[in-house]
């Protein structure tokens, strides 16, 4: 990817971080830490990898994006706004009664979503169904699904993984936002995932690793993945929960506790 | 009087109906969880192997894969045993199918005690309660093969998630196959009567009719109504019945908590309170045994229905 394009995408990432902090502060809630850790993943997908037309959200050949880690809704809403699905001003309605931007994405509320999510494990399973339809109909679309690492504790994730390999869904790409933290503590302490790469490989997936905050690296991984022809692909992206705002990075106390006004201003200043 | 020797497996009618639908509509797809030999989705599997997906012993995945297919323009029919489909995958049904109002048709078989020998872990006595409490779900218990066929056709032609409950046991042939129209808002009267209204459905129709004929000998005129569609329930039909006879008994192959009886009681208590007795499984698990023995031991036989009717008759 050309350096000027990388710069441009990094600027969008910065904007997204501001969007996420502002909208969750306005809402008085929301999973900003989990949203901040997947910003570069979303920017690189939406602005350089996915084939879609914002003016034709039901195009049957569009690439699909499923947010299986549904609590990162603020990040998804921010990238959808920046992509032109709805005005950026609407982001301040997050979690408000009647809003299209529900706490976790709800399909019928917001055009552009592929499915509701929030109950962990269900997004990837639904994504398997969407990919299966694509194969059955011989359509060229790809299905990208973003999971959390804590989410991989759900058995349903592994049912979905097993089925994806069984049905040879080479049109399915799962990205795992591996920020190593969950609500109650580090994933390793709460319910260790063990060797996550080995697990996905054992389930029949091709596994690539990425630096989840390096757009150039993500871009080259997307290039690598195109060489893999016959398997579903898992991209394990190493990330930092709360990335972009140093005083909240990796900090368990901030999972959903809203930032104070002072903290918010501090954070926004650091993002300038 | 109905001929008690004429009965058939609704599951077979289900399998046949799927094949007929599959011929006419390429978007029909069928999913199962390693039980297609029992649920009879195997018929569709043999006819249209490219549109049949066995998801293996993974019911949660079964439901969400069906959701993904529905989101991509397919019309999925999903089958497994009721306890596993409705129980294990309840949250997937609720949080994906119902929340997104997806047109996925859950046709779960082997519901109720009549599953027989496999015993308690496999006998679903809670599925109606579990499904009807979910917003947007439609809940239908077809009476027999003819009604099953029409309900399956209706399901393919209408939107929203549906739960259709079938049993393992043969059901009495009530309606004529290919000569019956299913109307979700209208409950067919199977036997006319003036003293008491008995609401029932599915497997319990046979026991209810037996009770009806026994009650005739005691000069009690019992009306037997096929309450096939528990959700959305026809409030008007239930109130009209209560007005006509003033007495109600409900009969279901399900717990008395949360199923048909509860649904009818909810309507009557709010709109037209009348003496009511519920026949069903009294908040306990089933167990292995022959079906008729299970019905007798757990209070679901025609004898129990007659007893309940006599008790209600005393109340006015």
């Amino acid at each position: 990817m050309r350096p000027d394009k990388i710069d441009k995408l990094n600027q969008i990432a910065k904007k997204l971080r501001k969007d996420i902090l502002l909208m969750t502060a306005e809402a008085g809630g929301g999973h900003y830490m989990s949203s901040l850790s997947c910003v570069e993943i979303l920017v690189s997908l939406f602005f350089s990898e996915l084939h879609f037309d914002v003016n034709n959200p039901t195009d049957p050949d569009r690439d699909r994006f499923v947010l299986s880690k549904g609590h990162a809704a603020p990040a998804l809403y921010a990238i959808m706004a920046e992509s032109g699905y709805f005005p950026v001003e609407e982001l301040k309605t997050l979690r408000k009664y009647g809003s299209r931007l529900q706490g976790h994405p709800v399909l019928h509320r917001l055009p552009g979503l592929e499915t509701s999510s929030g109950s962990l494990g269900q997004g990837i399973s639904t994504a398997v169904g969407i990919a299966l339809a694509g194969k059955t109909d011989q359509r060229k679309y790809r299905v990208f699904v973003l999971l959390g690492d804590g989410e991989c504790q759900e058995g349903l994730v592994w049912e979905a993984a097993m089925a994806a390999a069984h049905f040879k869904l080479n049109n399915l790409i799962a990205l795992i936002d591996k920020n190593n933290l969950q609500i109650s503590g580090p994933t390793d302490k709460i319910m260790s995932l063990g060797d996550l790469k080995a697990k996905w490989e054992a389930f029949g997936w091709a596994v690539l690793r990425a630096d989840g905050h390096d757009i150039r690296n993500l871009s080259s991984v997307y290039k690598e993945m195109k060489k893999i022809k016959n398997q579903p692909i898992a991209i394990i992206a190493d990330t930092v929960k709360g990335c972009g705002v140093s005083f909240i990075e990796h900090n368990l106390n901030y999972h959903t506790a809203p930032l104070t006004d002072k903290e918010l201003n501090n954070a926004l200043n650091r993002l300038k | 009087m109905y001929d008690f020797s004429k009965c058939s497996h609704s599951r077979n009618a289900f399998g046949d109906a799927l094949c007929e639908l599959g011929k006419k509509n390429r978007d029909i797809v069928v999913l199962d969880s390693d039980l297609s030999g029992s649920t009879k989705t195997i018929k569709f599997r043999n006819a249209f192997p490219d549109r049949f997906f066995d998801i293996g012993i993974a019911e949660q995945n079964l439901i969400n894969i069906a959701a993904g297919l529905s989101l991509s323009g397919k019309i999925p029919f999903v089958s497994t045993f009721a306890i596993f489909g409705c129980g294990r995958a309840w949250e997937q049904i609720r949080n994906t199918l119902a929340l997104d109002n997806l047109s996925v048709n859950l046709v779960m078989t082997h519901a109720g005690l009549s599953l027989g020998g496999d015993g308690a872990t496999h006998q679903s006595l809670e599925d109606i309660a579990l499904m009807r409490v979910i917003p947007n779900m439609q809940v239908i218990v077809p009476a027999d093969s003819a009604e099953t066929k029409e309900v399956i056709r209706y399901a393919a032609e209408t939107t929203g998630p549906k739960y259709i409950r079938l049993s393992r046991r043969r059901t009495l042939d009530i309606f004529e196959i290919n000569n019956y129209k299913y109307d979700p808002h209208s409950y067919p009267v199977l036997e006319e009567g003036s003293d008491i209204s008995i609401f029932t459905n599915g497997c319990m129709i046979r026991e209810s009719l037996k009770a009806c004929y026994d009650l005739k000998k005691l000069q009690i005129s019992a009306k037997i109504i096929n309450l096939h569609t528990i959700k959305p329930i026809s409030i008007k039909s239930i109130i009209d019945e209560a007005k006509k006879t003033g007495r109600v008994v409900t009969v279901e192959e399900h717990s008395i908590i949360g199923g048909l009886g509860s649904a009818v009681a909810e309507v009557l208590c709010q709109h037209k309170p009348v003496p009511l007795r519920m026949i069903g499984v009294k908040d306990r698990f089933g167990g292995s045994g022959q079906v008729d023995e299970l019905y007798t031991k757990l209070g679901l036989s025609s004898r129990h229905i007659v007893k309940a009717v006599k008790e209600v008759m005393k109340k006015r």
Side-chain angles (χ1 to χ4, degrees), chain B residues 252-278:
Chain B
E252 61 194 306
E253 195 189 14
H254 186 275
S255 170
I256 52 168
I257 300 173
L260 168 68
S262 298
V264 169
E266 284 159 21
V267 172
L268 292 177
C269 288
Q270 293 181 91
H271 300 287
K272 177 80 185 129
V274 295
L276 164 78
R277 276 292 310 280
M278 296 188 206

Side-chain angles (χ1 to χ4, degrees), chain A:
Chain A
M1 191 185 276
R2 286 185 10 229
D4 59 325
K5 174 115 197 237
I6 294 175
D7 270 340
K8 180 164 174 259
L9 297 190
N10 278 324
Q11 288 308 312
I12 298 174
K14 200 178 269 187
K15 176 98 203 341
L16 240 66
R17 290 199 155 86
K18 286 193 189 131
D19 288 338
I20 288 165
L21 289 171
L22 284 168
M23 82 171 94
T24 51
E26 172 65 35
H31 300 72
Y32 54 92
M33 296 275 282
S34 312
S35 300
L36 290 169
S37 64
C38 58
V39 165
E40 279 78 15
I41 293 170
L42 290 173
V43 169
S44 58
L45 284 177
F46 275 70
F47 282 88
S48 76
E49 186 60 30
L50 293 174
H51 301 130
F52 68 96
D53 175 1
V54 99
N55 296 310
N56 191 6
T58 56
D59 172 15
D61 291 312
R62 68 190 185 281
D63 279 344
R64 269 74 163 171
F65 174 78
V66 172
L67 183 70
S68 195
K69 57 171 279 185
H71 52 286
L76 179 60
Y77 297 151
I79 196 101
M80 287 175 75
E82 299 293 345
S83 298
Y85 279 98
F86 54 83
V88 174
E89 290 74 54
E90 193 170 345
L91 291 176
K92 62 166 82 78
T93 67
L94 173 71
R95 294 185 161 225
K96 298 250 165 48
Y97 182 79
S99 170
R100 300 201 294 173
L101 310 185
Q102 296 280 295
H104 291 75
V106 175
L107 178 66
H108 67 264
R109 298 263 189 171
L110 185 62
L113 291 176
E114 296 296 348
T115 177
S116 295
S117 54
S119 178
L120 297 174
Q122 294 195 32
I124 178 155
S125 177
T126 303
V128 166
I130 298 173
L132 189 57
K135 280 259 154 271
T136 305
D137 293 345
Q138 294 175 321
R139 287 196 183 273
K140 298 253 179 338
Y141 65 75
R142 298 168 301 165
V143 184
F144 289 80
V145 51
L146 179 62
L147 293 98
D149 53 349
E151 181 172 9
C152 293
Q153 290 162 355
E154 281 283 359
L156 179 53
V157 169
W158 301 101
E159 289 181 18
M162 196 183 290
H166 175 83
F167 289 117
K168 298 183 169 48
L169 301 179
N170 59 357
N171 56 349
L172 180 64
I173 301 108
L175 295 103
I176 295 108
D177 175 351
K178 190 168 183 292
N179 60 32
N180 300 309
L181 290 179
Q182 56 193 106
I183 297 182
S184 312
T187 50
D188 253 356
K189 290 245 157 24
I190 301 302
M191 182 51 65
S192 176
L193 295 166
D195 185 342
L196 197 54
K197 178 171 189 280
K199 283 184 165 73
W200 284 94
E201 280 172 344
F203 274 74
W205 290 56
V207 182
L208 300 169
R209 299 216 64 138
D211 176 341
H213 295 300
D214 182 339
I215 286 181
R216 182 187 294 145
N217 179 255
L218 284 163
S219 165
S220 70
V221 169
Y222 299 153
K223 231 168 131 190
E224 260 320 286
M225 85 183 179
K226 290 180 176 76
K227 298 182 190 158
I228 298 162
K229 299 292 181 193
N230 297 314
Q231 294 169 277
I233 297 162
I235 300 173
I236 299 177
D238 291 311
T239 59
V240 172
K241 200 164 185 178
C243 181
V245 183
S246 55
F247 68 89
I248 67 173
E249 285 179 4
H250 295 300
N251 192 330
L252 277 170
N253 295 324
Y254 285 108
H255 179 79
T256 45
L259 297 175
T260 60
D261 287 341
K262 192 164 164 218
E263 283 170 331
L264 177 64
N265 278 329
N266 193 355
L268 290 169
N269 280 328
R270 284 160 192 263
L271 286 169
K272 278 206 166 67

Side-chain angles (χ1 to χ4, degrees), chain B residues 45-305:
Chain B
R45 190 191 83 182
N46 293 336
F48 307 103
D50 295 339
R51 289 192 261 146
F52 175 82
F53 304 101
D54 198 325
I55 307 302
I57 311 169
E59 293 80 7
Q60 297 175 53
N61 205 26
L62 174 74
I63 295 299
N64 271 55
I65 288 181
L69 289 165
S70 173
L71 288 162
S72 311
K74 305 295 177 198
I75 303 171
F77 281 82
V78 181
S79 277
T80 182
F81 285 5
I83 183 63
F84 308 128
C86 300
R88 199 174 205 126
W90 186 86
E91 204 230 300
Q92 283 70 26
I93 295 170
R94 187 244 197 214
N95 267 337
T96 300
L97 299 189
L99 180 60
D100 292 348
N101 203 31
L102 300 179
S103 300
V104 172
N105 304 300
L106 308 173
V107 186
M108 302 290 175
T109 69
H110 292 67
L113 292 172
S114 50
L115 177 139
D118 278 351
T121 55
H122 286 49
Q123 289 161 338
S124 178
L125 302 172
E126 307 86 359
D127 49 295
I128 302 292
L130 288 172
M131 293 295 101
R132 80 178 184 98
V133 78
I134 301 174
N136 295 334
M137 284 303 295
Q138 298 163 66
V139 179
I140 307 167
V141 185
D144 67 354
S145 293
E147 193 164 74
T148 297
K149 192 168 173 207
E150 291 310 304
V151 167
I152 297 302
R153 204 164 53 77
Y154 166 85
E157 290 167 2
T158 54
T159 57
K162 295 173 203 75
Y163 174 57
I164 297 157
R165 184 197 219 222
L166 300 179
S167 65
R168 176 171 178 256
R169 201 185 203 194
R170 272 179 249 257
T171 43
L172 195 56
D173 290 333
I174 304 284
F175 305 109
E176 202 190 320
I177 205 139
N178 293 324
N179 196 21
Y180 169 74
K181 179 106 175 50
Y182 164 70
D183 177 356
H185 309 294
S186 167
Y187 301 137
V189 174
L190 305 182
E191 283 292 353
E192 279 296 347
S194 50
D195 291 328
I196 185 163
S197 305
I198 299 179
F199 291 109
T200 185
N201 56 32
C203 274
M204 288 290 105
I205 288 175
R206 187 207 311 243
E207 298 303 314
S208 302
L209 286 169
K210 274 196 208 148
C212 171
Y213 303 143
D214 287 340
L215 286 163
K216 267 204 178 86
K217 297 176 193 153
L218 303 171
Q219 265 82 60
I220 297 173
S221 165
K223 190 170 182 183
I224 310 296
I225 301 130
N226 174 21
L227 206 158
H228 46 49
T229 306
I230 301 179
K231 187 172 183 181
I233 204 159
S234 172
I235 294 176
K236 184 176 183 302
S237 301
I238 294 169
I239 296 174
D240 283 348
E241 273 312 317
K243 282 186 181 153
K244 280 183 201 146
T245 63
R247 299 177 192 95
V248 170
V249 164
T250 60
V251 183
E252 61 194 306
E253 195 189 14
H254 186 275
S255 170
I256 52 168
I257 300 173
L260 168 68
S262 298
V264 169
E266 284 159 21
V267 172
L268 292 177
C269 288
Q270 293 181 91
H271 300 287
K272 177 80 185 129
V274 295
L276 164 78
R277 276 292 310 280
M278 296 188 206
I279 294 292
V281 176
K282 292 186 175 60
D283 192 25
R284 53 158 288 183
F285 292 103
S288 293
Q290 295 294 313
V291 181
D292 285 324
E293 186 187 6
L294 287 166
Y295 283 176
T296 303
K297 294 273 160 60
L298 274 78
L300 265 58
S301 71
S302 56
R303 222 170 21 83
H304 293 95
I305 301 171

